[in-house]
Amino acid sequence: MHHTLVALVEDKPGVLNRVASLFRRRSFNIESLTVGRTAEPGISRMTVVVDSDQTSADFVTAHLYKLVNVLEVEDLRAVPAVSRDLALVKVTVSGNGRSELLKVVDETRAHIVDSGEQTMTLEITGEPPHVDAVIQRLDAFGIIEMVRTGRVAMRRGDTVLSAAR
Amino acid sequence: MPKRTGAQIIWECLVHQGVQTVFGYPGGAILPTYDAMLEYPVHHVLVRHEQGATHMADGYARASGRVGVAMATSGPGATNMVTGIATAMMDSSPIVCITGQVPSKMIGYDAFQETDICGITLPITKHNYLVTRVEDVMPAMKEAFHLAASGRPGPVLVDVTKDAQQATMEWEWDPRPVTMPGYRQEVPVPEKAFAKALELIRTSQRPVILAGQGVIQSGATRELIEFAERLNIPIAVTLLGLGGVPASHALNMGMMGMHGEAWVNHAIQEADLLMAFGMRFDDRVTGNPATYAQNAKKLHVDIDPSEIDKNVKTDAAIVGDLRATLRDFLGVLEPADHSPWLGHVNGMRGDAAVRDIQQLPDDGHLYAAHVINDIWRLTEGKAIVVTDVGQHQMWEAQYYHHESPRTLITSGGLGTMGFALPAAIGAKMACPDAEVWVIAGDGGFQMTQAELTTAAQEGVKVNIAVINNGYLGMVRQWQEFFYDRRYAATPLRSPDFVKIAEAHGLPALRVDSRGQVEDAVRRAQASTDTVLIDFRVEQEDSVYPMVPAGADLHKMIRRPGPSVLAETGADPL
Ligand SMILES: Cc1ncc(C[n+]2csc(CCOP(=O)(O)OP(=O)(O)O)c2C)c(N)n1
Ligand SMILES: [Mg+2]
């Protein structure tokens, strides 16, 4: 089972290190961790996907709160949320493979972001299971390089997560 | 506004925090700060190793409840502090460590004596700071003291680059309290959790209170006693909780866990409710968690939310200050009567067949337990005792009966050998009127015995009992029990401790029979100097009872055969 936590943290040197060090120190099993800026200056946002079979999300939350630079932690299990993952996938294409690939692209809402003589690079965005499914279909063409951002997520509806100041 | 250097601001902040004593050791990267020291009314204790400085700050903090301060240079000075910082972290002791760092422009270039001490101490501090600008010195210092002392206390490190110490700015003390948006202190207790706790307490037939160091740190002794008395509940105490409840109190059963009293562990295993107050269910306390207090519901009160459900799943939990929580309980709980349960528990007391070791004839053997029990008697149980780590530490816990908080100072969580002497020097400096005793093994004492000179130079008077058994005794005991008596690397040759002390200009005595104990202790007490007593005790004695690591709490190894020595402490005089 996966479990998504969102943390708002102070944008200060070493904060990512503190979070990463905590995960290592406590042997937390992390599926993915993404960091980026927020609309508020000085505050960054992390999305942490925990493998909750191995690690209790409550325990992770309690420890995140103990970090002085962590302002707010939200457990997205508790609220309806949207989540997205982005992948760039470079596949080899040859002969009539190209038209097959275009079919897949069409059916899966992927985008072609670059093409070379023997390769095409696709962008896939969506709920992580969707991205998984597209990647599985692309496997048949021969994936030669891939990068994924890991999950980012946000509450649905009108309410927001903001740093308690 | 007056101009100040970063170095001066460090001392200004220390003075504003009420710091009177700093334990430290100078070096290149902290030199500007040492230079400024001479202008400020803070006493600096020159240690002989930076580990000693951290243990002294720790002992100072544990004895007084005030923040202890240690100072060192970059690189080796800072890394020498690591053991002491980890010790303070594990036992939630409030210390602030200030280290010099290479100039900010040289960070990352492997400059002379550069180490990433913030990186190194990340997992063993409550928080740490790298200060590279003079403007950031005061905020970091203020936050460091606030963090160290509040909530669940702990060590904080402030690493200040040399250029930040040297730079100047227009400066004045900012008296406003620290605000840290990410540092949550108390959150209100949900009604539901409180109601659930009350329900557990009211419906329990066989309750046991587990009292930890939280009792001492929140100053909850009075409230805890009132709670236990009103509800008629027996109390078991952790190693770090000793002193939190007077040993002589009728409801205080004594220490739990690996070397706890057998009847205490049995009471825990038979209980239907454990009320864990400021303790964290350490593995030395629970034994095998799968068989730990299986019939008991668990109510956990702790200030640190991350301790809840960590080692033991709870049925109700309250996150908050223990004293405040107990007051809330006392506000609503009516008296209860658990006499059948108390009668049963007290019945198990007799299980330790020969408790009163003072009744045992002097058969020519000198047992560590005798020595410690005699020290307890001769100090009327009023001394601050600082132990090292090993068998003598457990015997101290069993045979010295502590009546008040902050009178036992010991490295529980990390089990740091070498802790006792420096921590005792710190404790004595925090509490100059107290009688302070070091109880250390022949092994651990040698790890930090260089601090004898510090005691001599400072004119600090502590009494040192070296429990000299010629072995790394606790490890030898494990080898005896679990490794077929293969004594690998545990027989220990020691220097002549009497001569060692004398070489430091300190009086010393040797004791090898029980008849000499009283006289030696009295002579140490009477001297104005630090006095060392080398107690040559029985070499292959073991600490009983013992729950082997990870074994079921009720399956204790008992002293074999007809006891030559009691298993548990003597009744109070
Ligand atoms: C720094 C450190 N190294 C090793 C240990 C492991 N250890 C625990 S108890 C002990 C033996 C202590 O011997 P001594 O100081 O003579 O005390 P005794 O057990 O004999 O009373 C050792 C080596 C430790 N706790 N700390
Ligand atoms: Mg020994």
Side-chain angles (χ1 to χ4, degrees), chain A residues 8-28:
Chain A
L8 297 180
V9 304
E10 290 178 297
D11 179 13
K12 286 189 176 165
V15 175
L16 178 58
N17 185 207
R18 285 179 198 279
V19 173
S21 165
L22 164 67
F23 293 167
R24 182 195 51 76
R25 149 87 177 91
R26 299 270 170 195
S27 305
F28 291 161

Side-chain angles (χ1 to χ4, degrees), chain B residues 85-401:
Chain B
I85 294 171
T87 304
M89 184 69 176
M90 285 294 263
D91 289 349
S92 309
S93 181
I95 65 171
V96 168
C97 297
I98 300 163
T99 47
Q101 181 55 279
V102 301
S104 51
K105 287 218 166 52
M106 294 169 81
I107 288 182
Y109 293 89
D110 303 317
F112 178 64
Q113 294 194 333
E114 179 192 356
T115 49
D116 174 16
I117 196 61
C118 280
I120 290 171
T121 59
L122 206 57
I124 53 165
T125 49
K126 188 169 170 182
H127 194 57
N128 60 22
Y129 294 86
L130 170 62
V131 178
T132 56
R133 302 180 326 145
V134 62
E135 295 81 11
D136 297 334
V137 172
M138 176 168 67
M141 289 291 291
K142 282 180 65 178
E143 289 182 13
F145 275 83
H146 177 61
L147 285 171
S150 60
R152 178 178 182 171
V156 181
L157 179 129
V158 184
D159 192 29
V160 189
T161 59
K162 194 168 186 180
D163 51 324
Q165 297 169 51
Q166 287 165 324
T168 55
M169 66 180 285
E170 305 212 320
W171 181 88
E172 66 184 3
W173 174 248
D174 177 357
R176 286 173 302 174
V178 173
T179 52
M180 302 174 73
Y183 184 57
R184 254 166 222 73
Q185 292 214 54
E186 260 136 76
V187 280
V189 176
E191 289 277 341
K192 245 174 62 195
F194 192 69
K196 176 80 189 166
L198 291 181
E199 184 204 314
L200 290 182
I201 297 171
R202 286 188 175 124
T203 53
S204 160
Q205 305 292 311
R206 301 187 307 279
V208 171
I209 292 170
L210 308 179
Q213 188 183 213
V215 175
I216 295 168
Q217 293 195 318
S218 78
T221 294
R222 264 191 26 221
E223 287 75 7
L224 181 63
I225 293 172
E226 194 182 335
F227 178 88
E229 284 176 354
R230 188 187 300 174
L231 289 128
N232 207 222
I233 301 175
I235 305 168
V237 186
T238 68
L239 175 65
L240 291 191
L242 290 172
V245 185
S248 59
H249 193 282
L251 288 169
N252 187 352
M253 296 188 288
M255 187 168 75
M256 63 180 100
M258 182 176 274
H259 293 295
E261 306 211 29
W263 67 301
V264 179
N265 289 342
H266 284 305
I268 289 169
Q269 293 298 69
E270 290 179 26
D272 71 353
L273 174 64
L274 298 182
M275 303 181 203
F277 290 159
M279 56 84 75
R280 61 184 175 88
F281 292 106
D282 182 84
D283 52 86
R284 289 298 191 257
V285 150
T286 61
N288 179 4
T291 59
Y292 179 67
Q294 277 170 311
N295 305 316
K297 296 251 195 291
K298 283 100 184 173
L299 161 63
H300 198 174
V301 181
D302 202 281
I303 198 156
D304 181 352
S306 74
E307 289 299 346
I308 309 296
D309 290 337
K310 186 182 81 174
N311 295 339
V312 165
K313 277 265 167 279
T314 53
D315 299 276
I318 291 177
V319 174
D321 177 59
L322 179 60
R323 186 165 176 225
T325 306
L326 286 172
R327 284 187 174 175
D328 291 345
F329 283 154
L330 287 168
V332 291
L333 281 170
E334 46 293 310
D337 176 27
H338 293 294
S339 355
W341 167 237
L342 275 175
H344 173 69
V345 168
N346 275 315
M348 291 192 291
R349 229 186 236 265
D351 169 25
V354 270
R355 184 171 305 101
D356 192 350
I357 61 169
Q358 285 159 316
Q359 309 299 319
L360 286 173
D362 181 355
D363 60 356
H365 294 274
L366 180 62
Y367 288 103
H370 285 152
V371 172
I372 290 161
N373 207 240
D374 284 351
I375 292 176
W376 165 69
R377 194 167 42 81
L378 294 165
T379 57
E380 294 166 17
K382 289 180 185 149
I384 295 178
V385 182
V386 187
T387 80
D388 219 78
V389 171
Q391 292 183 314
H392 64 278
Q393 177 188 32
M394 294 299 117
W395 281 316
E396 198 284 347
Q398 294 180 336
Y399 295 103
Y400 196 107
H401 309 288

Side-chain angles (χ1 to χ4, degrees), chain B residues 441-443 467 469 471-473:
Chain B
D442 42 344
I467 306 299
N469 55 8
Y471 280 102
L472 299 175

Side-chain angles (χ1 to χ4, degrees), chain B residues 13-34:
Chain B
C13 290
L14 291 173
V15 171
H16 277 284
Q17 298 289 349
V19 173
Q20 291 159 351
T21 311
V22 169
F23 305 94
Y25 209 92
I30 192 75
L31 211 44
T33 298
Y34 269 88

